[in-house]
Amino acid sequence: PIFGTLTPPGEGPPRPPPPRFASTAPPARPDAAAGGGGSPRQQYDYAFGLLKQANYPGAEAALKAFLQQHPHDPMAGSAQYWLGDLYLTQRKYMQAAGTFADGYRRYPRGAKAPEELLKLGVALGHADRKQDACVALAQLDRSFPHPGAAIKQRAMAEKKHLGCG
């Protein structure tokens, strides 16, 4: 299978929660998205601003640049999640699934890890990979028994829709 095992490679300290955004406007330094300077936070904010504006090509490029330049930044797990979500929004289901699976493997205790497993299941379900989708949703149950009400409800609905055991 292309996704391999979803079990985290090891336990680590939990990552801090993702930053909250007061504005959807990109910061004043658009060169940060292309990797031409700016702090990691400025680059992330710029990429997220593009995503919120539905500038998907720009957001994709900015998120990829951020992840390439700052793979260990505390915001990297969130950037990986938003890249997968961008692909899911565009109905690029296998690309989304690969991005979510990679994000979960890289950041298994990140703030977005439960949502990545949920969205991995959603993307695989849309790609007609129902058995793999059920595996991802079962991993969500095992790794995050209390993921929050919204994630839990969505996961239950997905499992029912997919016919997971």
Side-chain angles (χ1 to χ4, degrees):
I2 65 171
F3 300 106
T5 178
L6 293 175
T7 305
E11 296 293 321
R15 296 214 181 249
R20 297 282 181 209
F21 299 97
S23 169
T24 60
R29 299 205 37 190
D31 61 320
S39 71
R41 175 61 189 242
Q42 287 173 318
Q43 289 178 317
Y44 179 88
D45 287 351
Y46 181 74
F48 192 77
L50 292 172
L51 184 63
K52 292 199 63 123
Q53 294 171 10
N55 179 345
Y56 299 136
E60 180 181 7
L63 288 166
K64 284 180 174 180
F66 177 86
L67 288 165
Q68 184 177 17
Q69 294 171 25
H70 309 289
H72 303 292
D73 189 272
M75 293 176 286
S78 291
Q80 183 83 26
Y81 169 83
W82 290 116
L83 182 60
D85 201 57
L86 180 150
Y87 294 138
L88 189 60
T89 299
Q90 295 178 316
R91 299 174 189 238
K92 297 177 180 178
Y93 299 125
M94 289 308 292
Q95 200 168 357
T99 302
F100 288 129
D102 189 42
Y104 179 67
R105 273 197 232 78
R106 288 181 184 200
Y107 313 104
R109 296 287 169 226
K112 293 287 191 185
E115 288 177 274
E116 280 188 307
L117 285 173
L118 171 61
K119 295 281 183 96
L120 173 58
V122 169
L124 289 167
H126 282 295
D128 229 7
R129 302 277 303 267
K130 292 182 182 186
Q131 185 176 0
D132 290 333
C134 291
V135 169
L137 295 170
Q139 182 71 37
L140 172 63
D141 290 340
R142 280 191 305 277
S143 297
F144 303 97
H146 307 289
I151 294 172
K152 190 173 188 106
Q153 284 179 330
R154 178 88 190 267
M156 287 173 51
E158 285 297 319
K159 286 189 276 190
K160 183 177 180 180
H161 171 74
L162 295 166
C164 300

